[in-house]
Amino acid sequence: RADLAVLAVVFFERLRGIGTFVGFIGAGLAIALREYLAAFLAWFYIVGQRNVSLGTRIEVGGVRGDVIDIGVFKLTLVEVRGEGLGEQSSGRLVTVPNFKILTDPVFHFTAGSPFVWDEMEFTVTFESDWERARQIVQEVGNEIFEPHRHEVEAGFRQLESDYAFRYGVTTPIVYTSVGESGIRLRLRYLTHVRGRRDNRDVISRRVLRRFAAEPTVELAYPTSRTYRTEIDMQRFGEKRTPE
């Protein structure tokens, strides 16, 4: 019986040592695979919430693009260049770990409503009829907005029903300010996130054509004047008394 007791003590001591060893291995694996585990759990969140689905445009982890695949561990996006580069596809595929959806800010461009605010600025000279120029910019903005009015309003109503969100004015508006080179006219309008560059192109061409047809409106650009001689000052009506 004494021998059995000794064997039992030895057995349980070794078993405890094995348990400790297994515990260390498990902890090491948990640390090594924590990102994979987090990505796997985030996949359940993505599938359940459905805020991110195939075709949606998001920005997460510093990457902006359209989702083309939702894997168990990662998202695959077609990269979209930023606002300054036209909001168009670069053709490159980018993978993002799923856990980034839970740990990083996520910008949704097509959830609820695919329309986003965009702004364009036109500057006319101080001598121009800025009120007429403002009217032209407003008219062009309205022309771009009207074909999508019902879709825009439906999208914002959907946002209101899904979130604590209340939309205000959706129609284009032109803000007027005084700049260094002239009167600044800034058009703020809603555009489909995938049509921003095309709309900017259309708006620019229409405004340029209509400004060109208006004899009282002229686009401004940075200028400077240098008075070199007494003759120059007389020509500009600013003759001074010699010192």
Side-chain angles (χ1 to χ4, degrees):
R1 292 182 179 179
D3 293 339
L4 290 175
V6 172
L7 289 174
V9 171
V10 172
F11 173 76
F12 283 113
E13 286 294 330
R14 289 184 177 180
L15 186 63
R16 185 169 61 180
I18 293 173
T20 302
F21 177 70
V22 172
F24 279 120
I25 292 178
L29 288 174
I31 294 174
L33 302 176
R34 65 185 184 277
E35 292 187 352
Y36 289 95
L37 179 60
F40 179 67
L41 295 175
W43 176 73
F44 284 101
Y45 172 81
I46 294 170
V47 173
Q49 291 291 319
R50 297 183 180 179
N51 287 333
V52 177
S53 59
L54 297 180
T56 57
R57 178 167 295 183
I58 62 172
E59 181 177 337
V60 58
V63 177
R64 179 181 301 184
D66 297 324
V67 179
I68 60 172
D69 183 65
I70 301 176
V72 175
F73 298 109
K74 62 186 179 181
L75 299 171
T76 303
L77 290 71
V78 175
E79 183 190 39
V80 173
R81 297 178 183 273
E83 296 179 7
L85 298 174
E87 290 281 351
Q88 291 186 321
S89 172
S90 69
R92 300 188 299 185
L93 300 184
V94 185
T95 57
V96 179
N98 288 343
F99 66 81
K100 290 286 187 179
I101 296 294
L102 299 177
T103 60
D104 290 15
V106 182
F107 299 91
H108 295 269
F109 293 88
T110 53
S113 173
F115 287 87
V116 295
W117 287 103
D118 188 32
E119 294 190 6
M120 295 182 63
E121 183 175 284
F122 301 91
T123 304
V124 298
T125 61
F126 289 112
E127 296 78 15
S128 294
D129 183 352
W130 64 266
E131 291 182 323
R132 175 56 184 154
R134 185 181 186 279
Q135 182 183 6
I136 290 173
V137 176
Q138 183 71 61
E139 290 173 353
V140 172
N142 292 339
E143 293 169 3
I144 296 298
F145 172 76
E146 281 302 323
H148 308 286
R149 176 186 291 273
H150 297 299
E151 187 179 357
V152 168
E153 293 177 350
F156 278 98
R157 284 196 298 269
Q158 184 64 42
L159 285 175
E160 281 191 332
S161 65
D162 294 341
Y163 304 97
F165 173 84
R166 185 147 187 99
Y167 75 89
V169 176
T170 58
T171 53
I173 184 170
V174 179
Y175 293 98
T176 306
S177 63
V178 178
E180 294 182 358
S181 302
I183 306 299
R184 295 176 177 174
L185 305 172
R186 180 173 287 272
L187 172 65
R188 178 175 169 84
Y189 70 103
L190 281 166
T191 175
H192 194 288
V193 68
R194 292 189 172 91
R196 180 180 299 184
R197 194 172 206 180
D198 289 338
N199 281 335
R200 286 189 171 192
D201 175 66
V202 173
I203 291 172
S204 296
R205 287 188 284 111
R206 291 185 183 182
V207 169
L208 289 174
R209 290 194 190 105
R210 297 187 191 183
F211 278 5
E214 291 287 336
T216 59
V217 175
E218 184 179 8
L219 284 171
Y221 52 88
T223 59
S224 61
R225 290 178 179 176
T226 302
Y227 299 107
R228 297 170 299 176
T229 64
E230 190 75 14
I231 297 176
D232 289 334
M233 286 187 287
Q234 289 179 1
R235 187 175 62 178
F236 286 107
E238 298 182 9
K239 184 176 181 180
R240 298 185 306 177
T241 302
E243 295 180 358

